[in-house]
Amino acid sequence: MNGAKSLEVVRPGALTTLQDGGRPGYAHLGVPRSGALDTAAYALANRLVGNPPDAAVLETTVDGVGLRAASAVTVAVTGAPCTVRISGRPVAWGAPVRVPAGAELEVGRAESGVRSYVAVRGGFTVPPVLGSRSTDLLSGLGPAVPSGGAVLPVGPAGPDPVRGADVLPAPGAPAELVLPLRPGPRADWFEPASLAALWRSAYRVSPASNRIGLRTEAGPRLARARPGELPSEGMVLGAVQVPPDGLPVVFLADHPVTGGYPVVGVVPPGPALDAAAQARPGVPVRFTRQAG
């Protein structure tokens, strides 16, 4: 460590990535939007440390991350609740805290949910790619997944961190994930009885879920009303694609921009997709019909 304003990765965790608001507007080039999966937790983390809303943060998966500060910085951890320690001393989760120079920040295992967000005042200033500092696991664009010993540069501090009303618990991880679904554009590819079962049945979050999509298991398989395959079509965030096994897949931030399996409906961006980012394997999933 040379005294520069930075954080060194001491323990990278199961999967820690840099994320910001993503890179919209490049689907025609085959580039997904990417960005933070739990957008509310991401926004809160940046507000708590006084960052611009598009500043880059760390998104951890299940078991957190360990970082060492080259110089004193202010950080906040949101998203999945977890123990936060500075050089072994417990500090507040969901509030701005000061990390002295040379101290280690330990973001622990998620007590519920999946993904925690670590914001530092000034933001992580790794070089942007197509205007974003997000790591896209599907296309490989953006910064590499940080490994142990990686040094993450931090930008200049902005205004004072937000205090008071913003220091509030974020919504917890869902015990049941309820996803409002706008039918279409290919709902007519499925048997009416299968669509009726979709609205009244429960699925479970599959362990195969990731930043690309939330996969389901254990629910009724959607039977097609017509044979054959579609030509590849454009895909959007929240599209619910149905592969040949008949089990719905909800596309998340790193989703492909095209696909050939029929889309039975779309989950609108917002709190439901934020909740999907925090739903652990085995959590029940229900789809509710929403008018277009």
Side-chain angles (χ1 to χ4, degrees), residues 112-126:
S112 64
V114 178
R115 296 173 173 91
S116 298
Y117 292 84
V118 184
V120 59
R121 190 178 181 193
F124 293 100
T125 55
V126 296

Side-chain angles (χ1 to χ4, degrees), residues 1 7-18 58 64-68 126 135 143-152:
M1 307 287 288
L7 288 168
E8 179 186 356
V9 179
V10 177
R11 182 181 65 84
L15 175 64
T16 298
T17 60
L18 284 141
L58 290 176
V65 68
L67 305 166
R68 182 183 294 116
V126 296
T135 301
V145 173
S147 57
V151 176
L152 305 177

Side-chain angles (χ1 to χ4, degrees), residues 18 41 46 49 62 75 96 127 137 173 189 284:
L18 284 141
N46 273 326
V49 296
V62 180
V75 303
L137 298 180
W189 274 60

Side-chain angles (χ1 to χ4, degrees), residues 147-177:
S147 57
V151 176
L152 305 177
V154 175
D160 288 339
V162 174
R163 300 186 184 275
D166 249 10
V167 186
L168 295 171
E176 179 184 50
L177 182 60

Side-chain angles (χ1 to χ4, degrees), residues 23 29-34 129-130 134-142 212 254-257:
R23 47 181 69 84
L29 299 178
V31 177
R33 177 176 181 134
S34 195
V129 177
L130 295 178
S134 287
T135 301
D136 180 349
L137 298 180
L138 181 65
S139 71
L141 287 175
I212 295 169
D254 288 355
H255 68 85
V257 298

Side-chain angles (χ1 to χ4, degrees), residues 112 172-178 203 205 275 278-280 282-285:
S112 64
E176 179 184 50
L177 182 60
V178 180
Y203 294 82
V205 176
Q278 300 294 357
R280 289 191 169 190
V283 166
V285 182

Side-chain angles (χ1 to χ4, degrees), residues 27 54 96 173 263 274 290:
D54 59 349
V263 171
D274 288 347
Q290 184 179 70

